[in-house]
Amino acid sequence: MNIRTQQTLRYIGIVLLVMLAMYFYLGTMLKDSMSKRITSELEIQAALITEFFIDKLPTEANFSYDAIDPLVDRLGKTEKARVTFIGTDGTVWGDTERNGQALRAMDNHLARPEVQAALKDGIGIRDRYSDTTQTEFRYFAMPIYRNAGTEDSSNGTGTLIGICRVALPMEAVNTAIGNLRQVVLIASVAGLILAIVFSVLSTGAIIKPIEKLTQMTQSLAAGNITSRVPVDSRNELGQLSQNFNLMADRVQEQIDKISEEHRRSETILRNMGEGVLLVNGVSEITYANPTAISMLGLPDDYIGKALIEINRIPELQALLQKAEQIETVAFAEIRLGNLTEPEVEVTVVPVSAGQEYVIVIHDVTRERQLERIRADFVANVSHELRTPLTTIRGYAETLLGEDFVRTKKGEQFIVKILNHSTRLSRLVSDLLELSRLELGEVELKRSPHHLNTFYEPILDVFEPLLEESGLALKWEIPDELPEVNIDKQLFMQIFVNLIDNAIKYTPDGGTITVSAETDISDVFDELNMSVEEVIVHVKDTGIGIPMESQPRVFERFYRVDKGRAQEMGGTGLGLAIAKHIVLRHNGRIWLDSVLGQGSVFHVAVPLSD
Ligand code: ADP
């Protein structure tokens, strides 16, 4: 039911209620007052008639129909009421409504209630339906006393000669009530029409804007955000319409903004070189950009399909599971499909509490290719340089040892040639080693070794150097340390490079400490188990490394102080080589250093490998 119908019904209800109340109230009032008027009229008439009877009636013994009825009829004519005279025994001697035989045939009226009441109380009033006249009458009966002695014959002290009864029809009352009913009915109908017209007019002003608002909200809900309501009043409804329009403006602004952002991200996603996939909590694809579609060879109907169903890449599935387990970003390098297909870096980012995952696939084939070309080139150049360098060094050494050198200067030059070619040889062999490590050409020959087995060979290499610079080497690796599965020769290279650096960058009289322990790392393996590692620390009391250089020292050719490093005979490749060897062992390398106080290099290798 709409507001208009509700309002109309409400008005109709009010009108009906008022009319009904009026009808009952006025009806009662009218009936009451008319009834009172009739009664008083009857009373006056009865009093007059009584007087008349006392005056005109013959003595009781001479009562006869012929004597009394004409009297009664005469009275009836003057009073315009029905007048009846009843004898003390109940005989109706005269009645305005009956004459002759009919009068004589009338019932005995002694038992009539008004007559009984009159005899008992002096006055009898009754409303009754008269069988004689076939209408409703109000009867007013009074006893008639005749008393010669006193004037007042109604005090009951005289002789009762009969009962006078006057009656007026109640028709007038009923007609008046009927008229009233008619008036009320007409007024009600008029009121109802007015109520309907009024409610239509009054609700129209309220409903129209509401209808417009409703239409607008419906149209908004249907997606037509440009629709607005006309504001044509300043009242609350006008305010509401205005607010609605404002709200619609805001919604439109927001939608425009979101659409713009969406369009922008869509453009970015469509044109980016990386493949981007969105999968839900059960690994079903919800989005894929064109690059991802072509990289993974997704069919047209990929939306809603499980990733594993479309593309059986176990590594990708495992990575997704890993991200799900660790609830953070997971990263891996994998080969898509068969070996001829591209090699990619895949990052899985969980979003909205594991409900969705963003998979970013970055094709690194080209980078790898370039890296390989570079490493190949370096390896080739180094290799090619090695032979002539060896020859130069050989000749220089021979020259020094022979008597060819006649002058001091000549000797100095040859020493310089020798030193530089030695440095160059070291550089070339470092470069070659690094390239081979990068190219994966170095094969690991792993076997379990206790780290203390490195002590002797290290001492053999560094003892003269240590003594020369007055440095102490403390070897504090405990015997209980478990053996580690490593390539001994390559691991020796790590020790050599780290200790060599420590010696180079620690002033005379300092201490180098080598220690190790086992630890549970915060790195997780594929099965999401934390890894137990052996961590080696090479600590010195040297010059330290400034904060900003710390992340860069593992880069090839990076040196904090180029002049000093060169002076020390460094190539800038030592730490890069160490890092690559550690990575080949699935380990980690990092450092802590305080400028002017010393550095600690840490190497962690997993025990399970
Ligand atoms: P280099 O052959 O020059 O020593 P590395 O790769 O071994 O090259 O080291 C890179 C740079 O890191 C060094 O040039 C030096 O500046 C810094 N460095 C390495 N180890 C230490 C150390 N123990 N103390 C201070 N600086 C160091």
Side-chain angles (χ1 to χ4, degrees), residues 497-498 501-502 504-505 540 543-545 553 555 558-561 565 569-576 599 601:
N497 288 4
L498 293 182
N501 278 348
K504 276 194 289 190
Y505 302 106
D540 63 53
I543 58 170
I545 301 168
V553 291
E555 290 173 18
Y558 184 84
R559 278 161 292 189
V560 179
D561 181 345
T571 57
L573 295 172
L575 287 180
S599 317
F601 282 81

Side-chain angles (χ1 to χ4, degrees), residues 263-274 287 289-291:
R263 201 184 52 74
R264 211 177 291 162
S265 11
E266 186 61 33
T267 314
I268 295 170
L269 283 168
R270 288 200 152 274
N271 296 299
M272 68 196 284
E274 275 85 11
Y287 173 83
N289 74 346
T291 316

Side-chain angles (χ1 to χ4, degrees), residues 520-585:
I520 306 290
S521 88
D522 47 7
V523 174
F524 297 95
D525 65 7
E526 294 79 40
L527 298 165
N528 202 25
M529 303 284 285
S530 48
V531 175
E532 194 177 14
E533 302 171 312
V534 162
I535 307 175
V536 185
H537 315 281
V538 178
K539 186 174 175 238
D540 63 53
T541 54
I543 58 170
I545 301 168
M547 206 62 189
E548 65 276 12
S549 300
Q550 287 182 15
R552 300 200 58 194
V553 291
F554 296 103
E555 290 173 18
R556 59 175 90 85
F557 295 119
Y558 184 84
R559 278 161 292 189
V560 179
D561 181 345
K562 215 167 186 153
R564 184 180 181 138
Q566 228 153 34
E567 200 183 296
M568 293 293 175
T571 57
L573 295 172
L575 287 180
I577 292 170
K579 182 182 148 192
H580 268 92
I581 298 173
V582 172
L583 289 181
R584 287 296 307 272
H585 281 85

Side-chain angles (χ1 to χ4, degrees), residues 92-385:
V92 180
W93 292 108
D95 189 286
T96 44
E97 303 293 321
R98 295 282 158 92
N99 289 315
Q101 209 44 51
L103 176 68
R104 284 170 185 79
M106 277 177 79
D107 298 342
N108 185 306
H109 270 43
L110 194 65
R112 290 290 194 275
E114 67 275 6
V115 174
Q116 282 299 316
L119 288 173
K120 212 169 132 226
D121 308 324
I123 278 179
I125 305 170
R126 285 295 182 279
D127 289 342
R128 265 196 308 109
Y129 189 80
S130 156
D131 290 332
T132 321
T133 57
Q134 301 283 311
T135 45
E136 200 185 348
F137 271 96
R138 173 160 296 177
Y139 294 97
F140 190 95
M142 265 174 86
I144 306 169
Y145 296 97
R146 182 179 285 149
N147 190 339
T150 56
E151 279 296 302
D152 187 4
S153 58
S154 60
N155 57 3
T157 52
T159 325
L160 179 72
I161 55 166
I163 292 111
C164 155
R165 192 182 73 172
V166 194
L168 277 171
M170 288 301 279
E171 218 173 56
V173 178
N174 292 338
T175 318
I177 302 280
N179 285 346
L180 179 73
R181 193 177 291 152
Q182 219 166 359
V183 169
V184 170
L185 194 74
I186 291 166
S188 300
V189 171
L192 287 183
I193 293 168
L194 271 176
I196 291 166
V197 170
F198 182 69
S199 71
V200 167
L201 291 180
S202 71
T203 51
I206 301 170
I207 283 169
K208 246 190 212 127
I210 294 180
E211 274 173 356
K212 277 185 190 145
L213 275 173
T214 315
Q215 272 170 13
M216 181 204 150
T217 46
Q218 275 168 352
S219 136
L220 264 183
N224 179 15
I225 49 165
T226 50
S227 61
R228 295 288 181 276
V229 211
V231 181
D232 37 32
S233 70
R234 291 187 151 273
N235 60 15
E236 289 89 338
L237 277 168
Q239 194 78 48
L240 186 63
S241 309
Q242 208 166 8
N243 289 350
F244 253 105
N245 287 346
L246 269 175
M247 196 184 75
D249 286 348
R250 295 279 166 281
V251 170
Q252 185 159 14
E253 267 170 37
Q254 289 299 320
I255 289 176
D256 287 350
K257 214 158 129 192
I258 293 166
S259 309
E260 176 59 24
E261 272 167 23
H262 182 260
R263 201 184 52 74
R264 211 177 291 162
S265 11
E266 186 61 33
T267 314
I268 295 170
L269 283 168
R270 288 200 152 274
N271 296 299
M272 68 196 284
E274 275 85 11
V276 179
L277 268 182
L278 273 177
V279 297
N280 61 17
V282 286
S283 297
E284 285 167 356
I285 304 170
T286 53
Y287 173 83
N289 74 346
T291 316
I293 294 173
S294 73
M295 273 178 166
L296 298 172
L298 299 181
D300 288 344
D301 57 345
Y302 63 86
I303 298 279
K305 289 253 165 74
L307 189 58
I308 188 86
E309 258 177 52
I310 300 180
N311 205 313
R312 297 191 178 277
I313 306 166
E315 291 101 320
L316 189 58
Q317 212 56 36
L319 191 65
L320 203 59
Q321 270 166 11
K322 187 176 174 187
E324 212 171 299
Q325 278 171 4
I326 60 176
E327 289 173 9
T328 56
V329 180
F331 173 85
E333 282 178 25
I334 54 180
R335 221 177 263 270
L336 288 184
N338 55 54
L339 292 177
T340 57
E341 278 178 80
E343 196 163 325
V344 290
E345 281 176 1
V346 182
T347 314
V348 181
V349 187
V351 278
S352 54
Q355 292 303 299
E356 201 166 44
Y357 297 89
V358 180
I359 303 174
V360 182
I361 308 169
H362 177 55
D363 184 350
V364 288
T365 329
R366 178 106 189 103
E367 284 164 38
R368 291 289 142 84
Q369 226 167 22
L370 288 173
E371 234 168 77
R372 222 180 336 265
I373 291 169
R374 185 194 53 76
D376 270 343
F377 174 75
V378 175
N380 286 337
V381 170
S382 315
H383 192 75
E384 292 304 320
L385 285 175

Side-chain angles (χ1 to χ4, degrees), residues 431-450:
L431 263 177
L432 196 60
E433 181 161 10
L434 189 60
S435 300
R436 286 176 59 221
L437 279 166
E438 280 175 341
L439 285 166
E441 282 174 2
V442 181
E443 216 170 287
L444 286 195
K445 294 184 203 84
R446 295 177 86 159
S447 53
H449 293 282
H450 194 282

